[in-house]
């Protein structure tokens, strides 16, 4: 039999979620009628919907097969028009809000609270589901059947709540500002990077840094090494010169795959670079591996530039990931042949949305850097995403698509056999080329680049952050989506940058330990986090008291590392250019 305490526990949680849901579903904005183009589109769509509805009424009395097919076709068209009508109305509301008092965008506190509510809701789900399953293990078979219904109901209510939270950005009137701010900051960053890499003076007359991509590890690892160098180059205002001859992925070098980083700063101007210890004075400094820099400087990953920090923190839930995505946008500009390859593949596979990306890493990672995760562990979160997406768009019909990237070809067969109601994109030949005996070389590199590209184009990622490929895809994704920090579900680690400075969080409320291995802390304490267990608890240590162990994830918030970096005063962008 269920314990009385367990019943009250479930009732309390359900009422709490219902209360939040009621609050969010009443949160809306009222558009005004000032945008002529959007108003005309709304009027047209409304008339089309009414016309189709009249046709449907006339046709529904018919019984022959052709008439029924026409009814079905018109019904689909009607639904599509209704969905477009909703989107146009939301866009009009957002634009109107921007003109009538929201030109400066939402308050920082509003954006932080909106993101915090999503994070807290997910943490509540991790904790509650984990505890419910633990209780389930101790029940009789009869009670397990009843308890499974409780778990299912809680999970469903949680999804409804997340759908409401994610729809906030569609109705709060600020989405146009977010899109414009994303584009504005991106254009500013790319202008700065172009200026950095192509100085107005002869390159030999400016201080510069050199970096060798040949770290002797996998593609994601070597790209992150180059990113570490590029991050330092940006912070110091020194152009980066990249050495890549004999690169294991393409012996001809980096520039055969991606566009050259500079028109006038060549490797000949970076010979004989000084050791890192002279980075403040030497003309040319060689950037070592991030793990070999001691002590680390505050401007190193995961820091963001101080002069952009306020804008980045308001724009994005993980400002460093957005900043890194912009560095990658410049670093990994494809050569024309690679652009053609990506576009052809996009057309060949008929890539469509909505779509979720999963990256299943096996081979060398399992047992050394990561645990084995069955396909079902990934697909659980894929299914959650699609249920939430349907709740966000109740009248929309769609196919459930997954882009599957893996280094184990058998995963495709396993996934398609177990989840027949999904459409799986992906290429077993690419998976085969990622095997250990064929991983290094230009053909294998093409497969890796295709996988990263399409993973970054998905709406949501499910992967292991212990994999650098997963982290690269997540970083590249941020170039395209607005505030996409939430668009990932890792199965193991939290996001990190290898060799980073300390990853700290701040306790915004005190905690009294009452769970095994849990430690107490006070409001304001700095917690060094070592990872999220995705069960309501994270592992870490209190920098104030020195205690280590587990702590409730929902009582802490991320500390964004902000550092003084070069401010690029020579880069001027007019407002109308943004």
């Amino acid at each position: 039999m269920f314990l009385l305490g367990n019943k009250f526990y479930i009732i309390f949680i359900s009422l709490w979620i219902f209360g939040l849901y009621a609050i969010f579903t009443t949160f809306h904005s009222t558009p005004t009628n000032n945008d002529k183009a959007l108003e005309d589109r709304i009027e047209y769509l409304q008339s089309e919907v009414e016309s189709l509805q009249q046709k449907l009424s006339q046709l529904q009395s018919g019984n022959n097969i052709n008439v029924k097919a026409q009814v079905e076709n018109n019904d689909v068209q009607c639904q599509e028009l209704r969905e477009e009508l909703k989107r146009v109305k939301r866009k009009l509301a957002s634009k109107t809000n921007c003109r009538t008092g929201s030109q400066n965008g939402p308050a920082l506190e509003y954006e932080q609270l909106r993101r915090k509510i999503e994070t807290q809701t997910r943490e509540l789900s991790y904790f509650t589901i984990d505890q419910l399953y633990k209780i389930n293990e101790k029940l009789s078979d009869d009670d397990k059947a009843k308890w499974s219904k409780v778990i299912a109901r809680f999970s469903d209510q949680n999804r409804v709540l997340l759908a409401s939270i994610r729809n906030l950005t569609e109705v709060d009137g600020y989405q146009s500002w977010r899109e414009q701010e994303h584009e504005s900051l991106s254009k500013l960053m790319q202008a700065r990077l172009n200026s950095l890499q192509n100085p107005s003076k002869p390159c030999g007359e400016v201080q510069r840094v050199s970096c060798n991509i040949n770290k002797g590890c996998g593609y994601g690892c070597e790209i992150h090494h180059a990113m570490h160098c590029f991050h330092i180059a940006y912070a110091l205002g020194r152009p980066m010169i990249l050495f890549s001859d004999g690169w294991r992925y393409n012996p001809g070098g980096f520039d055969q795959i991606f566009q050259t980083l500079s028109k006038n700063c060549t490797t000949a101007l970076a010979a004989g670079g000084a050791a890192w210890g002279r980075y403040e004075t030497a003309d040319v400094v060689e950037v070592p591996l991030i793990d070999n820099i001691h002590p680390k400087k505050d401007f190193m990953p995961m820091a963001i530039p101080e002069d952009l920090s306020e804008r980045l923190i308001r724009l994005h839930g993980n400002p460093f990931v957005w900043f890194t995505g912009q560095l990658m946008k410049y670093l990994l500009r494809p050569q024309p042949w690679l652009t053609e390859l990506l576009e052809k593949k996009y057309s060949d596979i008929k890539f469509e949305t909505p779509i979720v990306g999963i990256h299943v890493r096996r081979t060398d990672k399992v047992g050394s850097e990561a645990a084995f995760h069955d396909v079902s562990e990934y697909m659980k979160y894929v299914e959650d995403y699609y249920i939430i997406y349907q709740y966000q768009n109740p009248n929309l019909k769609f196919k459930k698509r997954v882009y599957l990237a893996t280094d184990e070809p058998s995963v495709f067969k396993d996934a398609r056999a177990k989840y027949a109601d999904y459409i799986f994109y992906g290429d077993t030949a690419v998976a085969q080329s990622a095997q250990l005996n064929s991983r290094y070389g230009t053909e294998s590199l093409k497969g890796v680049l295709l996988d990263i590209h399409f993973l970054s184009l998905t709406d949501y990622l499910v992967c292991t952050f212990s994999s650098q490929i997963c982290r690269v895809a997540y970083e590249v994704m941020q170039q395209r989506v607005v505030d996409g920090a939430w668009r990932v579900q890792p199965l193991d680690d939290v996001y990190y940058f290898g060799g980073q400075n300390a990853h700290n969080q701040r306790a915004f409320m005190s905690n009294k330990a009452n769970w095994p291995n849990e430690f107490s802390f006070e409001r304001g304490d700095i917690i060094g986090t070592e990872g999220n267990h995705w069960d309501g608890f994270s592992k870490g240590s209190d920098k104030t008291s020195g205690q280590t162990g587990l702590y409730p994830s929902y009582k802490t918030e991320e500390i964004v590392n902000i550092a003084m970096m070069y401010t690029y005063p020579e880069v001027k962008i007019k407002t109308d250019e943004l």
Side-chain angles (χ1 to χ4, degrees):
M1 295 295 292
F2 295 154
L3 297 175
L4 185 61
N6 289 334
K7 287 186 176 180
F8 279 118
Y9 177 69
I10 295 301
I11 292 170
F12 172 77
I13 293 296
S14 299
L15 288 173
W16 184 86
I17 288 182
F18 178 77
L20 279 179
Y21 172 65
I23 292 171
F24 288 125
T25 52
T26 58
F27 195 105
H28 66 280
S29 61
T30 304
T32 57
N33 299 316
N34 294 326
D35 195 305
K36 188 67 169 63
L38 289 176
E39 285 179 346
D40 290 345
R41 184 62 178 167
I42 288 173
E43 184 178 347
Y44 166 76
L45 289 169
Q46 286 175 331
S47 65
E48 285 294 298
V49 169
E50 290 171 2
S51 174
L52 276 172
Q53 285 176 332
Q54 290 176 358
K55 290 180 181 178
L56 283 171
S57 298
Q58 295 169 2
L59 290 169
Q60 281 170 346
S61 58
N63 293 319
N64 66 63
I65 295 176
N66 291 334
V67 169
K68 287 183 178 179
Q70 192 173 350
V71 168
E72 184 176 341
N73 182 57
N74 283 354
D75 192 34
V76 171
Q77 287 183 333
C78 193
Q79 178 181 306
E80 290 174 350
L81 285 170
R82 285 196 189 102
E83 291 302 321
E84 185 182 354
L85 182 59
K86 287 181 181 179
R87 289 194 294 270
V88 174
K89 284 183 175 180
R90 286 198 295 262
K91 190 172 183 180
L92 177 60
S94 181
K95 284 180 175 292
T96 302
N97 201 335
C98 281
R99 287 194 303 270
T100 58
S102 299
Q103 295 93 335
N104 295 324
L108 170 63
E109 293 78 10
Y110 171 79
E111 292 295 84
Q112 289 178 322
L113 180 60
R114 177 179 59 79
R115 297 176 191 127
K116 188 175 184 179
I117 293 170
E118 159 114 10
T119 301
Q120 298 282 23
T121 302
R122 289 169 78 159
E123 287 296 337
L124 172 65
S125 176
Y126 299 146
F127 173 78
T128 307
I129 294 296
D130 181 74
Q131 294 301 314
L132 293 180
Y133 274 116
K134 286 178 179 177
I135 294 171
N136 184 66
E137 292 172 0
K138 300 176 181 179
L139 299 177
S140 66
D141 289 342
D142 287 343
D143 283 342
K144 281 183 178 179
K146 299 174 184 176
W147 198 246
S148 65
K149 295 179 181 178
V150 173
I151 295 174
R153 177 57 59 86
F154 173 81
S155 299
D156 196 51
Q157 289 189 357
N158 187 74
R159 295 185 194 109
V160 171
L161 179 57
L162 282 171
S164 297
I165 294 168
R166 291 173 188 175
N167 273 346
L168 272 177
T169 57
E170 296 295 325
V171 299
D172 63 8
Y174 295 120
Q175 192 61 7
S176 287
W177 176 88
R178 294 183 186 103
E179 293 168 359
Q180 291 164 11
E181 181 70 350
H182 174 88
E183 291 299 322
S184 171
L185 273 171
S186 178
K187 187 165 185 176
L188 177 60
M189 277 293 302
Q190 296 309 304
R192 286 184 172 189
L193 292 170
N194 184 64
S195 175
L196 171 71
Q197 290 301 114
N198 299 283
S200 57
K201 294 181 180 180
C203 193
E205 297 179 13
V206 301
Q207 292 183 319
R208 47 212 182 274
V209 300
S210 68
C211 180
N212 194 322
I213 198 171
N214 293 299
K215 188 179 177 181
C217 52
Y219 174 79
C221 169
E222 292 193 324
I223 288 302
H224 276 132
H225 169 57
M227 284 302 306
H228 146 66
C229 297
F230 205 25
H231 180 109
I232 288 176
Y234 178 94
L236 298 178
R238 291 170 170 247
M240 181 181 81
I241 298 173
L242 187 68
F243 287 88
S244 63
D245 287 346
W247 188 27
R248 68 196 310 184
Y249 280 99
N250 186 65
F254 188 85
D255 291 351
Q256 290 184 348
I257 310 298
F258 304 103
Q259 294 181 38
T260 181
L261 295 180
S262 176
K263 297 174 183 176
N264 52 7
C265 292
T266 64
T267 54
L269 295 170
W276 171 251
R278 296 178 55 201
Y279 79 89
E280 292 181 296
T281 57
D283 288 337
V284 183
V285 176
E286 182 178 352
V287 180
L289 301 181
I290 193 169
D291 295 323
N292 295 338
I293 297 180
H294 301 287
K296 289 184 170 57
K297 303 300 179 181
D298 63 352
F299 56 74
M300 293 180 177
M302 295 192 299
I304 61 171
E306 184 181 54
D307 68 316
L308 299 179
S309 60
E310 289 186 9
R311 294 178 69 183
L312 285 177
I313 291 170
R314 183 161 62 146
L315 174 68
H316 202 274
N318 192 328
F320 174 77
V321 175
W322 189 94
F323 179 68
T324 299
Q326 289 299 310
L327 295 179
M328 280 192 174
K329 185 174 183 178
Y330 188 92
L331 183 75
L332 304 181
R333 294 165 300 151
Q335 287 284 7
W337 71 264
L338 180 54
T339 298
E340 184 179 347
L341 174 69
L342 297 174
E343 291 176 349
K344 184 178 186 305
K345 189 69 173 180
Y346 186 96
S347 175
D348 288 347
I349 66 176
K350 297 179 172 59
F351 191 89
E352 295 182 71
T353 59
I355 186 168
V356 176
I358 65 174
H359 178 246
V360 182
R361 184 70 185 271
R362 297 280 170 83
T363 61
D364 59 319
K365 285 285 183 181
V366 175
S368 57
E369 298 179 39
F372 176 89
H373 293 281
D374 188 76
V375 170
S376 61
E377 296 180 61
Y378 297 84
M379 292 303 295
K380 171 187 179 296
Y381 292 107
V382 173
E383 184 67 14
D384 274 350
Y385 175 82
Y386 275 117
I387 294 173
I388 293 169
Y389 184 80
Q390 184 71 82
Y391 288 159
Q392 288 180 266
N393 306 277
N395 297 318
L396 185 65
K397 292 182 180 179
F398 56 85
K399 295 178 180 178
K400 295 188 291 186
R401 304 176 182 89
V402 172
Y403 185 87
L404 172 57
T406 181
D407 55 1
E408 175 50 65
S410 65
V411 173
F412 284 96
K413 183 178 180 181
D414 186 27
R416 286 169 176 149
K418 291 179 178 177
Y419 302 94
D421 55 332
Y422 282 83
I423 298 173
F424 285 92
Y425 295 94
D427 194 334
T428 54
V430 171
Q432 188 64 48
S433 71
Q435 296 284 289
L436 291 175
N437 60 357
S438 58
R439 177 167 296 175
Y440 304 109
T442 305
E443 289 306 310
S444 174
L445 176 60
K446 290 178 183 178
V448 173
L449 295 175
L450 284 168
D451 275 347
I452 290 174
H453 178 67
F454 287 109
L455 286 171
S456 75
L457 291 181
T458 61
D459 302 304
Y460 195 73
L461 276 173
V462 184
C463 55
T464 52
F465 268 156
S466 57
S467 167
Q468 306 233 31
I469 294 298
C470 170
R471 300 204 304 275
V472 170
Y474 179 56
E475 291 154 354
V476 174
M477 174 193 275
Q478 308 313 311
Q479 301 168 13
R480 177 179 58 86
V481 298
V482 177
D483 194 7
W486 65 271
R487 292 180 179 272
V488 66
Q489 177 60 59
L491 300 185
D492 52 10
D493 292 325
V494 294
Y495 174 83
Y496 66 94
F497 192 96
Q500 67 192 21
N501 281 322
H503 183 177
N504 293 327
Q505 297 176 335
R506 180 182 293 104
F508 62 83
M509 59 191 302
S510 60
N511 180 61
K512 185 176 181 180
N514 57 12
W515 290 78
N517 302 317
E518 183 182 6
F519 63 86
S520 301
F521 52 78
E522 298 299 324
R523 180 174 180 269
D525 282 2
I526 304 301
I527 310 295
T529 186
E530 299 173 24
N532 193 317
H533 288 186
W534 313 116
D535 60 0
F537 291 94
S538 291
K539 182 180 179 181
S541 59
D542 189 330
K543 298 296 182 70
T544 305
S545 68
Q547 295 184 86
T548 62
L550 301 178
Y551 64 94
S553 308
Y554 76 96
K555 291 188 176 183
T556 62
E557 58 191 4
E558 292 291 328
I559 295 176
V560 178
N561 294 332
I562 300 171
M564 287 286 293
M565 300 185 189
Y566 185 63
T567 59
Y568 298 85
E570 69 277 14
V571 176
K572 307 291 184 183
I573 298 182
K574 297 178 182 178
T575 303
D576 58 352
E577 291 178 337
L578 296 177

